[in-house]
Amino acid sequence: MTIWDFRVMLNRQPDSAEFDQLMEAGMDDCALVGGSEPYFMCDREAGSLLEAIMSVLLQIRTVDGLWAVGVGHDDAVTLGDAARRHGGRTQASMRQLASGQRGPGGFPPPLVEADNISVYSWGEISEWLRSRMGDDIPRVDRDIALADAAVKLACRARATHRESQVRRLLEVA
Amino acid sequence: MVGRGRHQHNEINAALKAIRAINSTFTVEEDHNGHRWGWITCACKDAPFAINSTPRNPGVHAKQIRRWAGRHGMCVSGDREETS
């Protein structure tokens, strides 16, 4: 199975006891990034990206008063992450483009380079692949966009106490 | 027994060492609170990273640390800061 990387934005930062509860619920493959806009950086093994996101959302809901307010992708990626997000290139192909062995050269430089792991900006890589290699990559992953829209709809339904009606609406739409 | 200042997983220690080389303003603070080993903060004070004491896959958690650091690598010079 594939390990999918994504981030889940939270309505608030979990306290220490809640953090432990989440780790024990199975979120020990996610890293909490705190601050004013807290989120979990997730690397979840699953059959599909949507399954991976759903399983994280279910675990977050095990804590009272904690919920997701959005789903997105981290901009920082390794070449392996970039190949998986691209879907049509292997890690080896990305490595050859980055090193200039293949392609027109000028691959975006890494954000950081340390101990054999280089971290790149997915925004810069995807733009370079679109403009210089003609690759057809959507600006936002389709499944990430779907999950983000669903999470935002759920938040609005919760805020207006229309959860059951919105659930029904989705079934009949 | 692992001494203070060292995580029990070598991959995570290596990631902590590597990110200090990238940006000397990263601060690692141990607090050993339940499943949390400590925090990494950047000079920009935005979005501290919680280091898990019991990650499912230490290699993946080390990569998460590097990815987080990637977004703060140039915070000091202000050339590149968090964008999302």
Side-chain angles (χ1 to χ4, degrees):
Chain A
M1 276 202 286
T2 305
I3 295 180
W4 304 93
D5 75 280
F6 54 95
R7 63 158 64 179
V8 176
M9 285 69 93
L10 302 170
N11 62 324
R12 63 176 174 82
Q13 185 171 321
D15 65 25
S16 295
E18 291 168 341
F19 178 79
D20 286 351
Q21 194 181 329
L22 291 166
M23 292 299 111
E24 281 155 25
M27 290 192 65
D28 53 354
D29 53 358
C30 304
L32 175 66
V33 178
S36 55
E37 293 177 351
Y39 63 92
F40 272 108
M41 194 185 272
C42 306
D43 286 82
R44 174 67 46 103
E45 190 171 355
S48 71
L49 177 55
L50 283 177
E51 279 175 41
I53 293 169
M54 274 189 282
S55 67
V56 169
L57 297 179
L58 279 170
Q59 288 165 348
I60 288 172
R61 292 309 306 273
T62 60
V63 171
D64 281 342
L66 185 71
W67 57 79
V69 295
V71 176
H73 259 148
D74 251 323
D75 184 51
V77 291
T78 61
L79 291 179
D81 300 328
R84 192 175 52 251
R85 283 189 196 177
H86 184 289
R89 286 189 182 275
T90 61
Q91 187 174 350
S93 161
M94 287 288 183
R95 206 178 301 123
Q96 287 170 335
L97 292 171
S99 66
Q101 272 180 285
R102 294 270 171 90
F107 194 85
L111 298 169
V112 297
E113 211 162 10
D115 280 8
N116 296 330
I117 287 204
S118 302
V119 178
Y120 295 81
S121 159
W122 170 244
E124 290 176 3
I125 292 182
S126 57
E127 185 53 42
W128 185 87
L129 289 167
R130 270 192 295 270
S131 62
R132 304 298 297 277
M133 301 298 294
D135 289 6
D136 181 20
I137 319 169
R139 290 190 188 274
V140 181
D141 181 276
R142 191 187 53 191
D143 287 348
I144 286 283
L146 265 177
D148 186 53
V151 162
K152 287 186 165 66
L153 178 62
C155 285
R156 291 190 70 172
R158 193 178 300 117
T160 53
H161 307 289
R162 298 283 193 278
E163 285 140 302
S164 58
Q165 287 107 314
V166 169
R167 203 171 295 125
R168 181 84 185 108
L169 187 66
L170 279 175
E171 283 168 11
V172 300
Chain B
M1 187 72 186
V2 180
R4 249 190 122 69
R6 281 189 64 78
H7 197 281
Q8 61 180 321
H9 294 294
N10 286 336
E11 289 121 309
I12 293 172
N13 283 318
L16 295 177
K17 188 179 168 194
I19 64 160
R20 285 190 188 108
I22 298 163
N23 183 336
S24 59
T25 66
F26 288 144
T27 308
V28 179
E29 283 178 44
E30 289 178 66
D31 67 355
H32 300 280
N33 192 331
H35 286 275
R36 191 179 65 226
W37 184 85
W39 291 96
I40 316 172
T41 51
C42 175
C44 72
K45 301 287 181 201
D46 189 31
F49 183 98
I51 306 165
N52 294 357
S53 54
T54 53
R56 185 181 307 177
N57 181 332
V60 166
H61 198 50
K63 197 168 89 168
Q64 289 168 335
I65 291 171
R66 287 183 167 93
R67 287 207 306 251
W68 176 87
R71 309 178 70 235
H72 289 272
M74 303 294 275
C75 280
V76 176
S77 66
D79 292 343
R80 212 165 202 164
E81 291 184 353
E82 291 210 60
T83 53
S84 59

